[in-house]
Each structure stands twice: as C-alpha cells, then as structure tokens.
Amino acid sequence: QVHLLESGGGLVQTGGSLRLSCEASGRGFSEYAVGWFRQAPGKEREFVAGIIWSGYKTDYADSVKGRFTISRDNAKNMVFLQMNSLKPEDTAVYVCAADRTHFYRVSVTTTNYDYWGRGTQVTVSA
C-alpha cells in the first residue's frame, strides 16, 4: 500500500510560479510511474504531467508544455511539479497518483492509476 501526500499549493498571481511536491509512504513507489492530474470546479479531472519510474521519460498535457516540469527523487520517495508562467486557467486542485502496473510509460488515463493523494489547491489570480 502506498499513501501519497501533496503539498506546495497556494495563491499566486498570473505569471508566477509554484512547486508542488508529492511525498509517498510505503514500499514500491520508486518502481511506479507517477502522474499529476488537476480538477477545476465543474470540470472533469485531467492529466497534467507524468513521469516513469526511472525519471527517464516524461509527458505533458499540451496546455502546460513549456511551462511545467515534472521530476522525481526516488531516494526520497518524492515527485515534484515545477509550475512557471501560471495562468488563471491553471486554477484547480492538483492531485498526484501512482501507477504500479505501467511503470515503464506514462498513462494519461485516470483508471490506470492505483493510488491517489487528496490534492493541493492552486489558485492563480488574474
């Protein structure tokens, strides 16, 4: 069993930056692919970024390419999401998730993820 805890959210102005962290407890996290998803009020949860177990491969939603960077530190059981040039449309609850099956690729589908955190709120003011 893996438990995920997000942190680093907050209120920031347009153009600002935030760094989200996802800390895992439990065995096996370093062998799982990890994804960041977000959900805004009244909208479905959407894929933001993902990283495979080794950190060698990443993937991003088109809406965040060039602005967000995902990384991981397996020695610390942590995954990070650096968010730059934030826009009001980035406002959402950001959630990290771990995929223990497809560890070698990034999945954009929520149903492929086995473990989920509770999320951290990111609010970008205009």
Side-chain angles (χ1 to χ4, degrees):
Q1 186 73 18
V2 171
H3 296 282
L4 305 176
L5 181 64
E6 303 91 341
S7 62
L11 173 64
V12 64
Q13 292 184 335
T14 296
S17 298
L18 285 173
R19 187 190 194 210
L20 305 184
S21 298
C22 174
E23 183 174 9
S25 60
R27 300 183 65 179
F29 182 76
S30 62
E31 300 172 359
Y32 301 165
V34 175
W36 281 98
F37 292 78
R38 66 186 181 187
Q39 188 164 17
K43 295 186 177 181
E44 292 187 354
R45 184 168 290 183
E46 63 174 356
F47 171 80
V48 175
I51 188 167
I52 68 169
W53 71 277
S54 64
Y56 184 72
K57 182 178 180 179
T58 59
D59 195 13
Y60 298 90
D62 288 342
S63 59
V64 306
K65 281 181 180 176
R67 300 189 297 123
F68 290 11
T69 303
I70 189 171
S71 61
R72 68 189 299 162
D73 184 340
N74 283 341
K76 297 181 178 179
N77 270 5
M78 296 190 73
V79 171
F80 307 98
L81 186 67
Q82 178 66 43
M83 306 187 297
N84 299 328
S85 303
L86 283 162
K87 306 175 182 179
E89 51 264 44
D90 294 319
T91 295
V93 175
Y94 284 70
V95 184
C96 67
D99 178 356
R100 65 183 177 184
T101 303
H102 311 93
F103 56 91
Y104 52 92
R105 65 178 176 89
V106 174
S107 177
V108 303
T109 307
T110 58
T111 54
N112 283 343
Y113 288 83
D114 304 287
Y115 305 106
W116 292 84
R118 292 189 173 183
T120 184
Q121 176 71 46
V122 171
T123 302
V124 185
S125 62

